[in-house]
Amino acid sequence: MDKSWIWLPRNSHEYSEGATNFVNSSAKRLGSLSEMLCPCRDCRNLSHQSLDKIVEHLVIRGMDKKYKSSRWSIHGEKRDSAEDSVLQYETEAFDLFKTIFSMDEGGPNPTTDNEDDEAPEEIEFKKKLRDAQTPLYSDCLKHTKVSAIMGLYRFKVKSGVSENYFDQLLVLLEDLLPEDNVLPKSLAAIKKFLKIFGFGYDSIHACKNDCILYRKEYENLESCPRCKVSRWEMDKHSNELKVGIPAKVLRYFPIKDRFRRMFRSQRMAEDLRWHYTNATEDGTMRHPVDSISWAQVNAKWPDFAADPRNLRLGISTDGMNPFSMQSTNHSTWPVLLVNYNTPPTMCMKAENIMLTLLIPGPTAPGNNIDVYLAPLIDDLKDLWAEGIEVYDSFAKENFNLRALLLWSISDYPALGTLSGCKVKGKQACNVCGKDTPARWLKFSRKFVYMSNRRRLPPGHRYRYKKAWFDNTVEEGNANRIQTGAEIYETLQAFTNDFGRPLEKEKKRKRLELEDDERLQEEECEESNELWRWKKRSIFFDLPYWKELPVRHNIDVMHCLC
């Protein structure tokens, strides 16, 4: 059943129409009933009501929160069988393959279109697509090459089978199947097959100490030019270098290919225009399109806003332990992109959030995350300055696609990692800066930040509630917030030094200073505007970043109300 209407405002015509269709279709599915259980937030599927009464309850009270997020089994929605869900996984991947050339939506057909006027790479791609459609073996009617590959690969991912065991399974299947089968003989061959259709990633070697990526001018080096550590892995027993096996690898999933695939789907190409005609008119923010930042971006760059297909993106990252590990000694950082062009019911779905970088562990990148963000930032700069040529399946035309990164979304420690601003100590507030109202608690041995009532309107009653806070009355107003352009100018003199050995050396030298000397040094640094910054963020390499009104956001989970 369609559930998109339950997230709409209850005073809208679309919500009322969706509720009516839901009630009528449920009654028909259950046997043309005149009464059935009401799923509103008061009845909660415990009392029977007439159909008209149920619609009235849904409009006035809304759907029960627990019921609207689950399966509507009480009203006839059936659970798919395990076999159907497996088949769906296997066919969805091939549907993505087909949408690249819009085979199922009126686009060019790889089996009938004239290949004389096409580029060689497109001809080769279509040959691979035809190969993917071949039966698994000559008399096989149930599985094609692509369905067998996706079924086996799904089995590997879900069961956690190692590459070695999976290769042994493929060898066994080769002996069991007829000789003319087209199943790849190894996991490496399967990955190569998937990469043809744009589902692979770029492996970029990285310095073990997070100093550099071995790309561009460093591509052919054997060791890091900063810390002198070898590029290659070292055997733990013999201490010999394993030449050809990198010590650290960054996985980058190119965003340009992903954007091209999105517009090859006619339905997705239409959804990517949603924001252009669906801004609210009642002043309520239900989507980023209703925000002041979105309007200011449109006013600042009208040529970008003129084409509704241009993408507005958000970036998010945090550390995690892969493979359900409970140890805190490992931290892998995925970097995700969110596409805000689509409706609110789509933009936050898992399948529409793009994994762009997988930063390896075992240690968190910390201040050195800019080293790993470089490939993504380079593509974002190209997408802003020049754009890429993309085929729009909805409009049946080629156009120049551009993209803009609106902001980042993270928890507070990750905000310091991305922005380069200190989020601990006396100047922990990235808004107040050196005017942060910090107070040191001697016996708790930590800073607290109490004097924030000055941001309330003058005369607000909370300003005078001494007993509720720190037994003081707060007068005056908060200081003006620095703009992105002002921060950019301040950081022009900042020199970035990336790499863990360099950070350890700086920390060691500071610890060697006597207490009095260290105190004097800290006082001098606090008077310096650069003291609260750890680096000049790589986001400032984006030409528009310093002009954005909001650059960093704290995610909802970490906001206290």
Side-chain angles (χ1 to χ4, degrees), residues 279-294:
T280 59
E281 299 179 355
D282 58 0
T284 303
M285 194 175 82
R286 303 183 180 92
H287 185 275
V289 71
D290 307 319
S291 66
I292 297 176
S293 295
W294 192 292

Side-chain angles (χ1 to χ4, degrees), residues 22 27 30 80 105 139 183 202 235 241 278 283 303 307 333 338 367 374 410 412 434 458 466 476 503 520 525 530:
F22 158 71
L30 296 173
D80 297 332
E105 297 172 347
D139 297 330
L183 189 68
D202 296 336
D235 191 284
L241 292 177
N278 284 275
D303 57 330
D307 193 336
W333 283 58
V338 181
N367 196 49
S410 61
Y412 205 67
K434 63 182 181 180
K466 297 192 296 183
E503 292 179 354
Q520 293 176 4
E525 287 179 338
L530 293 178

Side-chain angles (χ1 to χ4, degrees), residues 14-158:
E14 291 80 5
Y15 182 93
S16 177
E17 184 178 356
T20 303
N21 292 337
F22 158 71
V23 171
N24 292 336
S25 60
S26 298
K28 185 177 180 181
R29 191 178 292 105
L30 296 173
S32 301
L33 301 177
S34 60
E35 290 187 355
M36 61 181 182
L37 291 173
C38 178
C40 77
R41 63 177 59 187
D42 290 341
C43 298
R44 299 175 61 185
N45 291 314
L46 297 176
S47 63
H48 286 79
Q49 304 287 348
S50 64
L51 303 186
D52 293 339
K53 200 69 174 179
I54 293 176
V55 174
E56 180 181 338
H57 282 193
L58 290 175
V59 172
I60 296 176
R61 303 172 182 175
M63 180 81 78
D64 177 28
K65 290 183 178 180
K66 293 184 179 180
Y67 193 58
K68 73 180 181 181
S69 60
S70 63
R71 190 170 298 276
W72 293 344
S73 55
I74 299 176
H75 294 84
E77 187 174 13
K78 296 181 180 179
R79 184 179 296 275
D80 297 332
S81 65
E83 182 178 355
D84 291 340
S85 62
V86 171
L87 182 61
Q88 179 183 5
Y89 275 109
E90 296 173 359
T91 57
E92 276 180 356
F94 188 58
D95 288 340
L96 288 173
F97 297 164
K98 293 193 295 183
T99 58
I100 298 176
F101 276 85
S102 306
M103 292 169 51
D104 57 342
E105 297 172 347
N109 191 314
T111 60
T112 60
D113 285 0
N114 185 10
E115 296 182 346
D116 295 337
D117 300 329
E118 295 178 348
E121 57 269 18
E122 291 191 0
I123 297 175
E124 182 66 21
F125 181 89
K126 291 182 179 181
K127 289 180 180 178
K128 297 294 184 181
L129 204 55
R130 287 195 293 267
D131 175 53
Q133 291 179 283
T134 58
L136 183 58
Y137 51 89
S138 57
D139 297 330
C140 183
L141 301 178
K142 187 174 182 180
H143 287 287
T144 60
K145 180 178 180 179
V146 68
S147 68
I149 287 176
M150 295 309 301
L152 287 169
Y153 201 74
R154 179 174 176 271
F155 159 76
K156 179 198 179 308
V157 173
K158 292 292 184 181

Side-chain angles (χ1 to χ4, degrees), residues 162-187:
S162 68
E163 294 189 8
N164 184 27
Y165 285 136
F166 191 71
D167 285 341
Q168 294 181 37
L169 174 63
L170 293 176
V171 172
L172 176 61
L173 289 175
E174 182 183 5
D175 294 336
L176 296 176
L177 294 173
E179 294 183 358
D180 61 346
N181 75 84
V182 292
L183 189 68
K185 305 302 186 290
S186 66
L187 179 61

Side-chain angles (χ1 to χ4, degrees), residues 116 250 348 370 387:
D116 295 337
L250 169 71
M348 299 308 296
D370 288 13

